[in-house]
């Protein structure tokens, strides 16, 4: 199989570095891998502002696609990254070979991340943001528990996530649905209701491929070899 061009999109609070173990394996398999960081997060925390919203992060990935002239590429998103890749896919559907959602949000037009999380979790996030001046949500500690010790440093430098990215409702034309090769990967350990609900829906939809893996939410750090293999096998 010829190497593919793959774009990996991070989740909330983290950075592109959370993909490093998976990206290294995929590159070793001959793929060209792009791992952009989202504005205000990771090594771009110096750019944090209350004005960063979902459109900002969609523009981050869109800018990479345009700058690299990417065609026929595969797009992968983890967690909050599902919001981002859905927006990107709606803009670049004709240039994307496949979409892979790793325990990720799968929004419909007019939905925000907080809408998908449900009122109880949404209110908790808004309350947490209130403790940081109302602009950002501090990172939760629970996600780090199953990451192996030698990869734990990728969890240590997470930063507050811009709340406006969770509040803004996504606007979709429906063009993203033209991408027929789609995979949803669900983490089976301590499943959150939101992601298990999405998995339950897509697993009965013949237009999707889906699978469940024995991992907590941080799949790409908890089981990088398996995640790289899943991506490699699906895009082949």
């Amino acid at each position: 199989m010829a190497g593919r061009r793959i774009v990996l999109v991070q989740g909330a609070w983290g950075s592109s570095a959370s993909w490093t173990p998976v990206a290294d394996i995929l590159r070793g398999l001959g793929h060209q891998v792009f791992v952009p960081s989202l504005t205000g997060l990771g090594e771009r925390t110096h750019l944090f502002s209350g004005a960063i919203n979902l459109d900002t992060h969609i523009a981050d990935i869109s800018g990479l696609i345009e700058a690299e002239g990417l065609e026929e590429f595969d797009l992968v998103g983890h967690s909050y990254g599902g919001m981002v890749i859905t927006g990107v896919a709606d803009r670049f559907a004709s240039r994307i070979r496949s979409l892979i959602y790793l325990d990720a949000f799968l929004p419909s037009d007019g939905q925000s991340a907080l809408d998908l999380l449900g009122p109880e979790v949404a209110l908790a996030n808004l309350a947490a943001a209130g403790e940081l001046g109302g602009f950002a949500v501090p990172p939760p500690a629970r996600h780090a528990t199953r990451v192996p010790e030698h990869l734990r440093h990728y969890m240590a430098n997470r930063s507050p996530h811009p709340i406006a990215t969770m509040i803004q409702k996504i606007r979709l034309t429906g063009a993203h649905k033209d991408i027929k090769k789609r995979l949803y990967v669900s983490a089976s350990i301590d499943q959150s209701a939101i992601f298990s609900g999405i998995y339950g829906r897509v697993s009965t939809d013949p237009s999707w491929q889906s699978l469940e893996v024995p991992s907590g939410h941080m799949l790409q750090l908890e089981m990088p070899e398996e995640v790289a293999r899943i991506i490699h096998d699906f895009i082949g």
Side-chain angles (χ1 to χ4, degrees):
M1 181 187 77
R4 305 294 189 190
R5 307 181 93 184
I6 307 168
V7 177
L8 304 174
V9 180
Q10 69 187 73
W13 300 294
S15 74
S16 60
S18 67
W19 282 111
T20 296
V22 169
D24 286 347
I25 295 168
L26 289 171
R27 289 175 181 128
L29 292 169
H31 300 296
Q32 187 176 16
V33 184
F34 302 87
V35 197
S37 280
L38 301 177
T39 301
L41 299 169
E43 72 273 19
R44 303 183 73 192
T45 53
H46 62 288
L47 299 175
F48 180 88
S49 82
I52 297 169
N53 59 18
L54 179 59
D55 283 345
T56 310
H57 288 166
I58 291 171
D60 287 334
I61 309 304
S62 299
L64 167 79
I65 292 166
E66 294 287 21
E68 294 286 354
L70 295 183
E71 301 279 354
E72 289 292 302
F73 66 96
D74 302 282
L75 184 59
V76 185
H78 170 248
S79 194
Y80 161 77
M83 299 292 300
V84 180
I85 69 168
T86 302
V88 171
D90 204 60
R91 297 184 184 185
F92 294 94
S94 64
R95 294 163 68 168
I96 297 172
R97 293 181 67 251
S98 71
L99 290 171
I100 301 176
Y101 290 75
L102 290 181
D103 226 32
F105 289 111
L106 181 59
S108 298
D109 181 50
Q111 288 185 315
S112 68
L114 292 186
D115 290 335
L116 291 168
L117 286 169
E120 184 177 340
V121 180
L123 286 172
N125 276 279
L126 289 169
E131 298 174 7
L132 295 179
F135 297 113
V137 181
R142 65 184 183 278
H143 290 164
T145 56
R146 288 190 170 81
V147 175
E149 188 62 38
H150 70 287
L151 298 177
R152 193 68 60 85
H153 62 283
Y154 289 119
M155 301 295 291
N157 297 316
R158 292 185 299 166
S159 52
H161 190 89
I163 188 64
T165 67
M166 298 181 175
I167 293 173
Q168 186 182 14
K169 298 179 184 296
I170 197 167
R171 296 301 174 193
L172 302 169
T173 67
H176 64 291
K177 296 179 181 178
D178 293 337
I179 302 167
K180 302 305 182 186
K181 191 175 177 65
R182 299 177 293 178
L183 173 68
Y184 195 93
V185 182
S186 177
S188 65
I189 300 174
D190 292 338
Q191 277 185 326
S192 70
I194 170 59
F195 300 126
S196 63
I198 294 171
Y199 173 69
R201 186 172 80 250
V202 301
S203 64
T204 61
D205 184 338
S207 70
W208 281 83
Q209 294 186 49
S210 61
L211 62 96
E212 197 172 45
V213 295
S215 175
H217 183 59
M218 295 300 297
L219 298 83
Q220 71 271 48
L221 290 175
E222 294 180 44
M223 48 189 302
E225 294 86 2
E226 292 86 347
V227 168
R229 178 189 55 78
I230 288 168
I231 294 171
H232 174 77
D233 289 349
F234 182 70
I235 67 177

